[in-house]
């Protein structure tokens, strides 16, 4: 039995003063231990999901007596912005300032970039003390076993086709319009591990969505489109033919797609608060981000 599981079973809450805490850079070969830690706190991430996020960014782990007890990461989007996430401290280690120490190190690594994160209720007070503020947004997770969904038909004058790594430049442009961020490496990685759909009008791309394995099943995201009708089409294509499969979609709070997802078998599964330290990126549109890659990556 792992020491994390043993601690949970014995109700250990104290930390001996002689137990030295060390921070070091996160590595790909930490993915299995990170997955165990995330399962311990109720997150669904698999080893492969950790390998994906570790490979895209920077971060730290905290170890005590050789046991990985905390994680934190950040992902640069150009020189001006970054996101922060995967902040986990093992429950029996909480209250000792580990989360604050991790965050301070991550902020120092990110330099002068404006930083964005999605905060749980428990984490928000720490982030406020470190200079983050809520900006009125947030994310609501939907997940569940999909019901039968009819094959969608794009609106008049539009067509769907499968995307490929050769479409990366177009995807980067659409994503930049929707987010104001330079997320090329993330999109390139998604194209390697997932399936992509492009929505075109008059031969020009106007939206896209990506489906990949994640957690308990599959996740749809990002979804980028000019309006909710096109976003619904891009999501429905992935739900079609997958009745009974576990699907997750993370929507910005206030999205009109939530009720539609509920009608097709997905249920709300918790909200997080969007926070920023610095300036928000400016999205030029007309494309909009209708579903996130992950709550950590945005």
């Amino acid at each position: 039995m792992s020491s994390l599981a043993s601690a949970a079973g014995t109700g250990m809450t104290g930390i001996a003063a002689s137990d030295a805490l060390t921070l070091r850079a996160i590595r790909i070969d930490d993915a299995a231990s990170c997955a165990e830690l995330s399962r311990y706190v109720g997150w669904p991430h698999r080893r492969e999901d950790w390998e994906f996020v570790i490979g895209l960014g920077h971060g730290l782990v905290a170890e005590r007596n050789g046991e990985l007890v905390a994680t934190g990461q950040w992902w640069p989007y150009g020189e001006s912005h970054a996101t922060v996430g995967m902040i986990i401290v093992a429950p029996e280690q909480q209250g000792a300032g580990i989360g604050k120490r991790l965050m301070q190190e991550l902020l120092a690594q990110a330099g002068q970039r404006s930083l964005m994160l999605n905060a749980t209720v428990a984490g928000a007070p720490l982030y406020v003390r470190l200079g983050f503020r809520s900006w009125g947004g947030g994310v609501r997770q939907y997940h569940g076993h999909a019901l039968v969904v009819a094959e969608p038909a794009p609106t008049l004058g539009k067509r769907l086709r499968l995307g490929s790594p050769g479409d990366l430049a177009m995807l980067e442009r659409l994503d930049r319009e929707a987010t104001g961020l330079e997320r090329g490496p993330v999109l390139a990685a998604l194209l390697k591990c997932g399936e992509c759909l492009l929505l075109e009008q008059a031969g020009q791309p106007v939206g896209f969505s990506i489906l990949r394995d994640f957690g308990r099943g599959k996740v749809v995201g990002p979804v980028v489109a000019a309006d909710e009708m096109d976003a619904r089409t891009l999501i429905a294509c992935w739900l079609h033919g997958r009745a009974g499969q576990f699907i997750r979609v993370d929507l910005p709070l206030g999205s009109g797609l939530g009720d539609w997802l509920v009608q097709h078998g997905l249920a709300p599964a918790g909200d997080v608060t969007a926070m920023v330290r610095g300036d928000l990126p400016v999205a030029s549109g007309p494309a909009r981000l209708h579903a996130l890659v992950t709550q950590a990556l945005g």
Side-chain angles (χ1 to χ4, degrees):
M1 181 183 292
S2 74
S3 58
L4 284 177
S6 299
T10 60
M12 184 187 76
T13 57
I15 300 171
S18 60
D19 293 345
L21 184 80
T22 60
L23 299 185
R24 63 164 173 82
I26 197 168
R27 305 186 299 253
I28 289 289
D29 60 10
D30 290 317
S33 295
C34 290
E36 181 183 3
L37 177 62
S38 58
R39 285 193 299 270
Y40 184 37
V41 297
W43 293 16
H45 299 65
R46 308 165 301 151
R47 175 182 56 80
E48 295 87 348
D49 302 323
W50 276 96
E51 289 174 344
F52 181 79
V53 294
I54 292 170
L56 284 169
H58 312 281
L60 299 164
V61 298
E63 294 179 318
R64 195 183 293 278
N65 296 332
E67 180 74 20
L68 191 150
V69 298
T71 67
Q73 291 184 256
W74 67 280
W75 298 270
Y77 294 146
E79 295 300 317
S80 61
H81 288 82
T83 61
V84 179
M86 308 305 286
I87 310 297
I88 307 175
V89 179
E92 74 280 358
Q93 304 284 339
Q94 293 175 10
I98 298 174
K100 180 179 179 181
R101 185 173 168 190
L102 270 174
M103 282 296 298
Q104 288 172 330
E105 292 290 339
L106 297 176
L107 297 181
Q109 288 183 7
Q112 298 302 308
R113 291 177 175 87
S114 294
L115 302 177
M116 298 168 290
L117 58 77
N118 289 305
T120 62
V121 172
L126 169 62
Y127 305 139
V128 170
R129 292 195 295 272
L130 292 172
F132 286 84
R133 69 182 191 279
S134 171
W135 58 269
V139 179
R140 177 166 295 164
Q141 178 190 152
Y142 289 81
H143 68 211
H145 295 90
L147 301 177
V148 174
V149 177
E151 183 175 6
T155 55
L156 187 64
K158 296 177 182 176
R159 74 178 188 100
L160 290 162
R161 70 169 176 85
L162 290 175
S164 72
D167 295 310
L168 178 59
M170 290 186 292
L171 300 182
E172 285 184 273
R173 176 181 62 79
L174 286 169
D175 189 77
R176 186 167 54 249
E177 289 178 0
T179 66
L181 299 169
E182 300 291 340
R183 304 203 300 178
V186 172
L187 296 171
L190 288 169
L191 288 173
K192 290 180 180 178
C193 69
E195 302 173 74
C196 178
L197 276 174
L198 267 170
L199 183 66
E200 294 182 326
Q201 183 173 24
Q204 297 299 313
V206 294
F208 72 93
S209 64
I210 295 176
L211 175 80
R212 70 187 190 283
D213 292 335
F214 177 85
R216 297 167 57 187
K218 295 184 180 292
V219 63
V220 180
V223 177
V224 170
D227 55 47
E228 288 187 348
M229 183 175 294
D230 284 348
R232 184 181 300 184
T233 298
L234 285 162
I235 297 172
C237 285
W238 298 125
L239 299 181
H240 173 66
R242 289 185 169 84
Q245 294 187 27
F246 190 87
I247 306 290
R248 171 173 171 168
V249 186
D250 289 290
L251 300 180
L253 277 177
S255 170
L257 296 170
D259 290 343
W260 178 80
L261 287 176
V262 170
Q263 293 170 13
H264 292 89
L266 279 62
D271 298 353
V272 290
T273 299
M275 305 187 79
V276 64
R277 185 177 187 263
D279 299 322
L280 287 168
V282 178
S284 60
R288 292 173 48 208
L289 184 68
H290 293 270
L292 282 66
V293 179
T294 68
Q295 292 184 12
L297 294 171

